[in-house]
Amino acid sequence: MDSTVSSRLYEHALRIIPGGVNSPVRACRSVGRDPLFIRRAKGSKIYDADGREYLDFVASWGPMVLGHADDRVVAAIKDAAVNGTSFGAPTELEVKMAQTIVDAVPSVEMVRMVNSGTEATMSAIRLARGYTGRDLVVKFDGCYHGHADGLLVKAGSGLATFGIPGSPGVPDDVCKNTLSLPYNDTAAFEACMRQAGARIAAVIVEPIAGNMGVVPPADGFLETLRRHTRETGALLIFDEVITGFRVGWGGAQERFGIRPDLTCLGKIIGGGLPVGAFGGRQEIMRRMAPEGDIYQAGTLSGNPLAMAAGLATLDVLMGADVYETLDRKSTLFWNGMKECVKEAGIPAVVNAVGSMGALFFTSDPVTDFVGAMRSDRERFARYYSLMLDRGVYLAPSAYEASFISMAHCESDLERAWDAFRDSLRRLS
């Protein structure tokens, strides 16, 4: 493909931005391509700086559940911007957003807005430690909870893509307070809680892992986390930055019927603008300053443009049968992919929950990080290029999710299947 403008932009960016990108996976190094620079997007389509159209399944890594530049969301942003872009003071919009989240998410009685998923998880961990008076945090291999120091231990997302076990610059004294266990391994978790339960402040988990591809929770796994945290006094934190308002109105916790103590949100609640939030029971959240003694702050928290975009998005998602329609469309698409894999006779697995899914080039079921890492990265890189050359835009990593939006229509799905079928044929 001739990417003259993208190539020129990338060459310039490499001189003034580390790696030429502002988030590592965007560099596309694991798939052997230079990144495409994007100029605009609308609905299910995205357009690069050279004017080419692609069918988009990245959805800005999850937020664009309605599709790109939805007219209702754009109008809400414009209306808010006319009144000012930031005040550093409370607004009615953030109160409306807080009430919407409290009404929607089963476990949340109070919520605080922040500016990113990383801020949300970092703040929730601090709150859990302050509330319990304990230091240890349990996470799970391949789950990514942002780039705060203590949460980079055996993380997914970009760390999995680049094969980095952690990061220089993270002190050993920080890492020693993070225990990372195999995802979906109830026996390992129970052993950990028997040994260290009284010292554990929090257990944080993606209820549906979305940063090592997509890995659903095994039967009983989340229930086991809930039971043992309750018994030991540790707090259970659901990282629903991806799954919140993606797999259902009340998120994964509503889908699976599990109520954590704290919930982290992001992506969709900002309608595509920078956002994050964390919330939970009142008795825990009231420990936050200025009401309590646990400090957290943010100049742009509750930004009026992000609140307006998020509320406009949630208003659409609140409509009757929206999630049923999205799930029906998504199930059709993932099942179509599975049929294409079967026809091609290639060792591959499709994992999906609702409108998020992933393809792994392995013959074995993928139920944890070890299984995800068995996926053939070389084959994925070839597959990525084949799909891109056919006008289908995917995440440039074997360990990221793909997303269906309300904007994807039947002809979009058929176009993607055709590209998928042809790409698999060329891989075999």
Side-chain angles (χ1 to χ4, degrees), residues 143-415:
C143 287
Y144 178 72
H145 305 292
H147 58 86
D149 286 358
L151 295 174
L152 288 180
V153 178
K154 294 186 179 180
S157 190
L159 288 169
T161 300
F162 293 108
I164 304 171
S167 175
V170 179
D172 290 341
D173 282 348
V174 173
C175 293
K176 73 180 183 182
N177 288 316
T178 302
L179 309 175
S180 194
L181 304 174
Y183 187 78
N184 274 334
D185 190 334
T186 55
F189 175 73
E190 289 175 331
C192 175
M193 296 303 283
R194 285 194 299 269
Q195 182 177 357
R199 295 185 291 132
I200 292 171
V203 175
I204 185 167
V205 66
E206 290 182 87
I208 302 166
N211 286 288
M212 49 174 150
V214 172
V215 180
D219 289 345
F221 177 62
L222 297 178
E223 289 83 355
T224 299
L225 304 190
R226 178 67 285 183
R227 184 172 67 256
H228 282 277
T229 49
R230 187 175 285 127
E231 289 173 355
T232 60
L235 299 189
L236 178 60
I237 304 174
F238 271 13
D239 180 347
E240 296 226 44
V241 170
I242 293 178
T243 57
F245 297 97
R246 166 58 71 176
V247 297
W249 177 244
Q253 59 192 264
E254 180 182 62
R255 194 176 186 112
F256 297 124
I258 307 291
R259 291 198 177 194
D261 299 297
L262 292 171
T263 297
C264 300
L265 298 167
K267 297 190 183 290
I268 286 174
I269 64 168
L273 274 64
V275 76
F278 65 102
R281 300 200 312 271
Q282 286 201 24
E283 66 185 270
I284 302 173
M285 293 300 296
R286 289 189 185 280
R287 287 291 302 273
M288 298 301 302
E291 191 162 347
D293 56 346
I294 300 170
Y295 194 75
Q296 176 275 331
T299 298
L300 296 176
S301 296
N303 177 266
L305 303 191
M307 297 299 94
L311 285 167
T313 300
L314 297 181
D315 186 59
V316 177
L317 294 177
M318 201 183 300
D321 301 325
V322 170
Y323 284 102
E324 290 82 353
T325 300
L326 185 59
D327 274 4
R328 186 164 57 249
K329 183 188 306 185
S330 301
T331 299
L332 177 68
F333 183 68
W334 306 128
N335 285 344
M337 285 187 67
K338 291 175 184 178
E339 285 299 316
C340 291
V341 167
K342 187 176 179 181
E343 290 172 12
I346 283 181
V349 173
V350 178
N351 278 3
V353 180
S355 60
M356 53 188 291
L359 173 72
F360 300 93
F361 285 105
T362 176
S363 57
D364 300 318
V366 178
T367 60
D368 57 17
F369 191 42
V370 172
M373 294 296 285
R374 290 196 190 103
S375 185
D376 187 331
R377 291 175 62 169
E378 280 190 24
R379 179 166 272 181
F380 178 86
R382 291 165 54 208
Y383 159 73
Y384 172 85
S385 288
L386 288 166
M387 291 291 280
L388 192 66
D389 291 344
R390 283 154 185 76
V392 179
Y393 189 73
L394 303 171
S397 167
Y399 310 113
E400 298 288 355
S402 292
F403 299 97
I404 308 296
S405 76
M406 290 298 292
H408 284 99
C409 63
E410 187 173 337
S411 63
D412 290 333
L413 304 187
E414 290 174 354
R415 173 180 163 186

Side-chain angles (χ1 to χ4, degrees), residues 14-29:
L14 284 168
R15 296 194 294 270
I16 53 176
I17 301 172
V21 294
N22 285 308
S23 191
V25 178
R26 298 178 193 175
C28 299
R29 291 184 178 178

